[in-house]
Amino acid sequence: MDLTLSKPDEIVKLLCGRLRKERLSQQMTQADVAARAGVGVNTVSNLESGRNVGFENLVRVAMVLGRAKELEALFAPKIDSLDDLLRYEKNTQRQRVKRSIHDGE
């Protein structure tokens, strides 16, 4: 599914639904997931409802559901060539982003 034209709230709703379906397909209750993830049942409920929950808790629940590989790919660099790899490795050192004269207008 291409999400490039979706609004953030639409993506959240979609992902929350997928999270719930994944939990149910593994025949786990919210309490089961919460206990294994080391979070409260309310946290799992909030995740499935799209309410604001810390990113670490999302990671914990995803790991319990066996979805760590998907998280690993989330912000992986897009490297299509050797030049891309060299540019990525060069830019991994901490730098300040240079602002153009038009920023902040």
Side-chain angles (χ1 to χ4, degrees):
M1 172 180 265
D2 184 7
L3 300 177
T4 55
L5 299 177
S6 300
K7 296 177 183 175
D9 62 326
E10 295 170 336
I11 295 171
V12 168
K13 185 176 180 179
L14 173 73
L15 294 177
C16 291
R18 286 182 181 175
L19 172 66
R20 182 175 186 276
K21 287 178 185 176
E22 181 65 26
R23 175 182 59 79
L24 293 172
S25 74
Q26 293 188 30
Q27 298 180 336
M28 296 176 76
T29 65
Q30 287 181 342
D32 294 334
V33 172
R36 291 181 61 190
V39 299
V41 176
N42 284 340
T43 298
V44 176
S45 177
N46 288 342
L47 272 171
E48 291 184 1
S49 300
R51 289 188 287 274
N52 196 11
V53 174
F55 195 70
E56 182 178 340
N57 290 329
L58 171 64
V59 170
R60 287 172 179 264
V61 169
M63 291 173 70
V64 166
L65 295 175
R67 297 305 191 121
K69 280 288 185 195
E70 287 87 342
L71 292 175
E72 184 179 332
L74 186 59
F75 294 111
K78 292 183 181 182
I79 298 176
D80 297 320
S81 69
L82 182 57
D83 288 338
D84 290 343
L85 177 61
L86 293 172
R87 191 172 20 259
Y88 176 76
E89 287 183 354
K90 178 184 174 201
N91 290 330
T92 56
Q93 297 171 355
R94 186 174 174 159
Q95 299 176 8
R96 292 193 183 267
V97 175
K98 295 178 182 164
R99 295 181 179 251
S100 72
I101 60 173
H102 301 290
D103 286 351
E105 289 183 6

